[in-house]
Short mmCIF file of all heavy atoms in Angstrom, two decimals:
data_model
loop_
_atom_site.label_atom_id
_atom_site.label_comp_id
_atom_site.label_asym_id
_atom_site.label_seq_id
_atom_site.Cartn_x
_atom_site.Cartn_y
_atom_site.Cartn_z
N LEU A 474 40.76 82.60 157.72
CA LEU A 474 40.87 84.05 158.02
C LEU A 474 42.28 84.49 157.79
O LEU A 474 43.27 83.80 158.09
CB LEU A 474 40.44 84.33 159.45
CG LEU A 474 38.97 84.08 159.83
CD1 LEU A 474 38.80 84.31 161.33
CD2 LEU A 474 38.05 84.94 159.02
N PRO A 475 42.44 85.74 157.31
CA PRO A 475 43.77 86.25 157.07
C PRO A 475 44.53 86.61 158.33
O PRO A 475 45.74 86.95 158.26
CB PRO A 475 43.56 87.46 156.18
CG PRO A 475 42.22 87.92 156.49
CD PRO A 475 41.41 86.64 156.82
N PHE A 476 43.82 86.58 159.48
CA PHE A 476 44.51 86.88 160.75
C PHE A 476 43.75 86.18 161.87
O PHE A 476 42.58 85.80 161.65
CB PHE A 476 44.48 88.44 161.04
CG PHE A 476 43.38 89.17 160.36
CD1 PHE A 476 42.06 89.05 160.78
CD2 PHE A 476 43.69 90.00 159.29
CE1 PHE A 476 41.02 89.70 160.13
CE2 PHE A 476 42.63 90.65 158.61
CZ PHE A 476 41.35 90.52 159.06
N ARG A 477 44.39 85.97 162.98
CA ARG A 477 43.78 85.25 164.06
C ARG A 477 43.03 86.12 165.07
O ARG A 477 42.20 85.66 165.80
CB ARG A 477 44.85 84.47 164.87
CG ARG A 477 45.53 83.37 164.03
CD ARG A 477 45.99 82.24 164.92
NE ARG A 477 44.88 81.55 165.51
CZ ARG A 477 44.97 80.67 166.49
NH1 ARG A 477 46.13 80.48 167.09
NH2 ARG A 477 43.93 80.05 166.98
N GLN A 478 43.39 87.43 165.11
CA GLN A 478 42.67 88.29 166.02
C GLN A 478 42.48 89.63 165.42
O GLN A 478 43.17 90.09 164.50
CB GLN A 478 43.45 88.44 167.37
CG GLN A 478 44.85 89.03 167.29
CD GLN A 478 45.41 89.26 168.63
OE1 GLN A 478 44.71 89.60 169.59
NE2 GLN A 478 46.70 89.08 168.78
N ILE A 479 41.39 90.33 165.84
CA ILE A 479 40.98 91.58 165.35
C ILE A 479 40.85 92.55 166.54
O ILE A 479 40.31 92.15 167.59
CB ILE A 479 39.62 91.50 164.64
CG1 ILE A 479 39.69 90.57 163.44
CG2 ILE A 479 39.13 92.89 164.22
CD1 ILE A 479 38.33 90.28 162.81
N TYR A 480 41.32 93.75 166.37
CA TYR A 480 41.16 94.76 167.42
C TYR A 480 40.95 96.11 166.76
O TYR A 480 41.84 96.69 166.16
CB TYR A 480 42.36 94.81 168.34
CG TYR A 480 42.21 95.81 169.51
CD1 TYR A 480 41.00 96.03 170.11
CD2 TYR A 480 43.32 96.46 169.99
CE1 TYR A 480 40.87 96.94 171.15
CE2 TYR A 480 43.24 97.39 171.06
CZ TYR A 480 41.98 97.60 171.63
OH TYR A 480 41.85 98.49 172.66
N VAL A 481 39.69 96.58 166.79
CA VAL A 481 39.35 97.92 166.37
C VAL A 481 39.30 98.83 167.59
O VAL A 481 38.41 98.74 168.40
CB VAL A 481 37.99 97.97 165.60
CG1 VAL A 481 37.72 99.39 165.11
CG2 VAL A 481 38.03 96.96 164.47
N GLN A 482 40.32 99.60 167.75
CA GLN A 482 40.56 100.32 169.00
C GLN A 482 39.60 101.52 169.16
O GLN A 482 39.27 102.24 168.22
CB GLN A 482 42.03 100.85 169.00
CG GLN A 482 42.48 101.48 170.26
CD GLN A 482 43.93 101.88 170.18
OE1 GLN A 482 44.69 101.37 169.33
NE2 GLN A 482 44.33 102.85 170.99
N VAL A 483 39.10 101.71 170.38
CA VAL A 483 38.43 102.93 170.78
C VAL A 483 39.44 104.05 170.76
O VAL A 483 40.45 103.99 171.48
CB VAL A 483 37.72 102.80 172.11
CG1 VAL A 483 37.20 104.14 172.61
CG2 VAL A 483 36.60 101.79 172.05
N CYS A 484 39.23 105.11 170.03
CA CYS A 484 40.15 106.21 169.96
C CYS A 484 39.47 107.56 170.15
O CYS A 484 39.04 108.23 169.20
CB CYS A 484 40.90 106.20 168.59
SG CYS A 484 42.00 104.79 168.36
N PRO A 485 39.20 107.93 171.39
CA PRO A 485 38.47 109.16 171.67
C PRO A 485 39.32 110.41 171.29
O PRO A 485 40.52 110.32 171.27
CB PRO A 485 38.25 109.08 173.19
CG PRO A 485 39.35 108.23 173.70
CD PRO A 485 39.61 107.21 172.66
N PRO A 486 38.66 111.53 171.08
CA PRO A 486 37.18 111.73 171.14
C PRO A 486 36.46 111.35 169.88
O PRO A 486 35.25 111.38 169.91
CB PRO A 486 37.11 113.23 171.45
CG PRO A 486 38.34 113.80 170.69
CD PRO A 486 39.37 112.81 170.85
N GLN A 487 37.16 111.07 168.81
CA GLN A 487 36.44 110.80 167.53
C GLN A 487 35.76 109.46 167.48
O GLN A 487 34.61 109.34 166.98
CB GLN A 487 37.46 110.88 166.36
CG GLN A 487 38.11 112.26 166.16
CD GLN A 487 39.41 112.36 166.90
OE1 GLN A 487 39.71 111.60 167.76
NE2 GLN A 487 40.17 113.34 166.48
N PHE A 488 36.40 108.41 167.98
CA PHE A 488 35.90 107.02 167.80
C PHE A 488 35.67 106.45 169.12
O PHE A 488 36.62 106.00 169.86
CB PHE A 488 36.89 106.21 166.97
CG PHE A 488 37.29 106.79 165.68
CD1 PHE A 488 38.61 107.24 165.51
CD2 PHE A 488 36.37 106.91 164.66
CE1 PHE A 488 38.96 107.79 164.27
CE2 PHE A 488 36.72 107.52 163.44
CZ PHE A 488 38.03 107.95 163.25
N LEU A 489 34.42 106.38 169.61
CA LEU A 489 34.06 105.89 170.94
C LEU A 489 33.51 104.45 170.87
O LEU A 489 33.19 103.93 171.90
CB LEU A 489 32.97 106.82 171.55
CG LEU A 489 33.43 108.27 171.75
CD1 LEU A 489 32.29 109.08 172.39
CD2 LEU A 489 34.66 108.36 172.65
N ARG A 490 33.56 103.88 169.71
CA ARG A 490 33.14 102.46 169.58
C ARG A 490 34.30 101.62 169.12
O ARG A 490 35.07 102.05 168.25
CB ARG A 490 31.94 102.30 168.63
CG ARG A 490 30.66 102.91 169.09
CD ARG A 490 29.56 102.61 168.14
NE ARG A 490 28.24 103.02 168.72
CZ ARG A 490 27.05 102.63 168.24
NH1 ARG A 490 27.00 101.79 167.21
NH2 ARG A 490 25.95 103.01 168.83
N GLY A 491 34.41 100.45 169.68
CA GLY A 491 35.46 99.52 169.22
C GLY A 491 34.96 98.08 169.33
O GLY A 491 33.84 97.82 169.80
N GLY A 492 35.89 97.12 169.03
CA GLY A 492 35.49 95.74 169.10
C GLY A 492 36.70 94.85 168.73
O GLY A 492 37.77 95.32 168.32
#
Side-chain angles (χ1 to χ4, degrees):
L474 294 176
F476 26 72
R477 294 209 69 195
Q478 60 174 326
I479 299 169
Y480 182 34
V481 182
Q482 186 178 340
V483 170
C484 294
Q487 296 93 343
F488 308 111
L489 299 179
R490 292 186 172 196

